[in-house]
Coordinates of all heavy atoms in Angstrom, one line a residue:
R205 N 166.6 20.5 -269.7 CA 166.4 21.5 -270.8 C 165.5 20.9 -271.9 O 165.6 19.8 -272.3 CB 167.7 21.9 -271.3 CG 167.7 23.0 -272.3 CD 169.0 23.7 -272.6 NE 168.9 24.8 -273.5 CZ 169.9 25.6 -273.8 NH1 171.1 25.4 -273.3 NH2 169.7 26.6 -274.6
L206 N 164.6 21.8 -272.4 CA 163.7 21.4 -273.4 C 164.1 22.2 -274.7 O 164.4 23.4 -274.6 CB 162.2 21.8 -273.1 CG 161.6 21.1 -271.8 CD1 160.3 21.7 -271.5 CD2 161.6 19.6 -272.0
P207 N 164.0 21.5 -275.8 CA 164.2 22.3 -277.1 C 163.2 23.3 -277.3 O 162.0 23.2 -276.8 CB 164.1 21.2 -278.2 CG 164.4 19.9 -277.4 CD 163.8 20.1 -276.1
L208 N 163.5 24.4 -278.0 CA 162.6 25.5 -278.1 C 161.3 25.1 -278.8 O 160.2 25.5 -278.3 CB 163.3 26.6 -279.0 CG 162.5 27.9 -279.2 CD1 163.4 29.1 -279.2 CD2 161.7 27.8 -280.5
R209 N 161.4 24.3 -279.8 CA 160.1 23.9 -280.5 C 159.3 23.0 -279.6 O 158.0 23.2 -279.5 CB 160.5 23.1 -281.8 CG 159.3 22.7 -282.6 CD 159.7 22.4 -284.0 NE 158.5 22.0 -284.9 CZ 158.5 22.1 -286.2 NH1 159.7 22.4 -286.8 NH2 157.5 21.7 -286.9
E210 N 159.8 22.1 -278.9 CA 159.1 21.2 -278.0 C 158.4 22.1 -276.9 O 157.2 21.8 -276.5 CB 160.0 20.2 -277.4 CG 159.2 19.3 -276.4 CD 160.2 18.2 -275.7 OE1 161.3 18.1 -276.2 OE2 159.8 17.6 -274.7
A211 N 159.2 23.0 -276.3 CA 158.6 23.9 -275.2 C 157.5 24.7 -275.7 O 156.4 24.8 -275.1 CB 159.7 24.7 -274.7
R212 N 157.6 25.3 -276.9 CA 156.5 26.2 -277.4 C 155.3 25.4 -277.9 O 154.2 25.9 -277.8 CB 157.1 27.1 -278.5 CG 158.1 28.1 -278.0 CD 158.4 29.2 -278.9 NE 159.3 30.2 -278.3 CZ 159.6 31.4 -278.8 NH1 159.1 31.7 -280.0 NH2 160.4 32.2 -278.2
L213 N 155.5 24.2 -278.4 CA 154.4 23.3 -278.7 C 153.6 22.9 -277.4 O 152.4 22.6 -277.5 CB 154.9 22.1 -279.5 CG 155.2 22.3 -280.9 CD1 155.8 21.1 -281.5 CD2 154.0 22.8 -281.8
S214 N 154.3 22.9 -276.3 CA 153.7 22.5 -275.0 C 152.8 23.7 -274.5 O 152.0 23.5 -273.6 CB 154.7 22.1 -274.0 OG 155.5 21.0 -274.4
L215 N 153.1 24.9 -275.0 CA 152.3 26.1 -274.6 C 151.6 26.7 -275.8 O 152.0 27.8 -276.2 CB 153.3 27.1 -273.9 CG 154.1 26.6 -272.7 CD1 155.1 27.6 -272.3 CD2 153.1 26.3 -271.5
P216 N 150.7 26.0 -276.4 CA 150.1 26.5 -277.6 C 149.3 27.8 -277.5 O 149.1 28.5 -278.5 CB 149.1 25.3 -278.0 CG 148.8 24.7 -276.7 CD 150.0 24.8 -275.9
F217 N 148.8 28.1 -276.3 CA 148.0 29.3 -276.1 C 148.9 30.5 -276.0 O 148.6 31.7 -276.4 CB 147.1 29.2 -274.9 CG 146.0 28.2 -275.1 CD1 146.2 26.9 -274.5 CD2 144.9 28.4 -275.8 CE1 145.3 25.9 -274.6 CE2 143.9 27.4 -276.0 CZ 144.1 26.2 -275.4
L218 N 150.1 30.3 -275.4 CA 151.1 31.4 -275.3 C 151.8 31.7 -276.6 O 152.1 32.8 -276.9 CB 152.1 31.0 -274.2 CG 153.2 32.1 -273.9 CD1 152.5 33.4 -273.4 CD2 154.1 31.5 -272.8
Y219 N 152.1 30.6 -277.3 CA 152.9 30.8 -278.6 C 152.0 30.3 -279.8 O 152.4 29.4 -280.5 CB 154.2 30.0 -278.5 CG 155.1 30.4 -277.4 CD1 155.3 29.6 -276.3 CD2 155.8 31.6 -277.5 CE1 156.1 30.0 -275.3 CE2 156.6 32.0 -276.5 CZ 156.8 31.2 -275.4 OH 157.7 31.6 -274.4
S220 N 150.8 30.8 -279.9 CA 149.8 30.3 -280.9 C 150.3 30.5 -282.3 O 150.1 29.7 -283.2 CB 148.5 31.0 -280.6 OG 148.6 32.4 -280.7
R221 N 151.0 31.6 -282.5 CA 151.5 31.9 -283.9 C 152.6 30.9 -284.3 O 152.6 30.5 -285.5 CB 152.0 33.3 -284.0 CG 150.9 34.4 -284.0 CD 151.4 35.8 -284.2 NE 152.3 36.2 -283.2 CZ 153.0 37.4 -283.2 NH1 152.8 38.2 -284.2 NH2 153.8 37.7 -282.2
D222 N 153.5 30.5 -283.4 CA 154.5 29.5 -283.7 C 153.8 28.2 -283.9 O 154.2 27.4 -284.9 CB 155.5 29.4 -282.6 CG 156.4 30.7 -282.5 OD1 156.5 31.3 -283.5 OD2 156.9 30.9 -281.4
V223 N 152.9 27.8 -283.1 CA 152.2 26.5 -283.2 C 151.4 26.5 -284.5 O 151.4 25.4 -285.2 CB 151.3 26.3 -282.0 CG1 150.5 25.0 -282.2 CG2 152.1 26.2 -280.7
E224 N 150.8 27.6 -285.0 CA 150.1 27.6 -286.2 C 151.1 27.4 -287.4 O 150.8 26.7 -288.4 CB 149.4 29.0 -286.4 CG 148.8 29.3 -287.7 CD 147.7 28.4 -288.1 OE1 147.2 27.5 -287.3 OE2 147.2 28.4 -289.3
K225 N 152.3 28.0 -287.3 CA 153.3 27.9 -288.4 C 153.7 26.4 -288.4 O 154.0 25.9 -289.6 CB 154.4 28.8 -288.1 CG 155.5 28.7 -289.1 CD 156.7 29.7 -288.8 CE 157.8 29.6 -289.9 NZ 158.9 30.5 -289.6
W226 N 153.8 25.8 -287.3 CA 154.3 24.4 -287.3 C 153.1 23.4 -287.5 O 153.2 22.2 -287.2 CB 154.9 24.1 -286.0 CG 156.2 24.9 -285.7 CD1 157.1 25.3 -286.7 CD2 156.7 25.4 -284.5 NE1 158.1 26.0 -286.1 CE2 157.9 26.1 -284.7 CE3 156.3 25.3 -283.2 CZ2 158.6 26.7 -283.8 CZ3 157.0 25.9 -282.2 CH2 158.2 26.6 -282.5
Q227 N 151.9 23.9 -287.9 CA 150.7 23.2 -288.2 C 150.3 22.3 -287.0 O 149.9 21.2 -287.1 CB 151.0 22.2 -289.4 CG 151.3 23.0 -290.7 CD 151.6 22.1 -291.9 OE1 151.6 20.9 -291.7 NE2 151.7 22.7 -293.0
G228 N 150.3 23.0 -285.8 CA 149.9 22.4 -284.6 C 148.4 22.4 -284.3 O 147.9 21.9 -283.3
F229 N 147.6 23.2 -285.1 CA 146.2 23.3 -285.0 C 145.5 22.5 -286.0 O 146.0 22.4 -287.2 CB 145.8 24.8 -285.0 CG 146.2 25.6 -283.8 CD1 147.3 26.5 -284.0 CD2 145.6 25.5 -282.6 CE1 147.7 27.3 -282.9 CE2 146.0 26.2 -281.5 CZ 147.1 27.1 -281.7
P230 N 144.3 22.0 -285.7 CA 143.6 22.0 -284.4 C 144.3 21.1 -283.4 O 145.0 20.1 -283.7 CB 142.2 21.5 -284.7 CG 142.4 20.6 -285.9 CD 143.5 21.3 -286.7
L231 N 144.1 21.4 -282.1 CA 144.7 20.6 -281.0 C 143.7 20.3 -280.0 O 142.7 21.0 -279.8 CB 145.9 21.3 -280.5 CG 145.7 22.7 -279.7 CD1 145.4 22.5 -278.3 CD2 147.0 23.5 -279.8

Side-chain angles (χ1 to χ4, degrees):
R205 186 165 184 175
L206 300 175
L208 182 144
R209 184 162 181 160
E210 178 183 347
R212 295 196 172 187
L213 285 173
S214 301
L215 302 170
F217 298 99
L218 181 62
Y219 301 106
S220 58
R221 288 186 296 179
D222 291 335
V223 177
E224 169 68 7
K225 181 179 180 179
W226 297 326
Q227 299 179 353
F229 290 107
L231 63 87

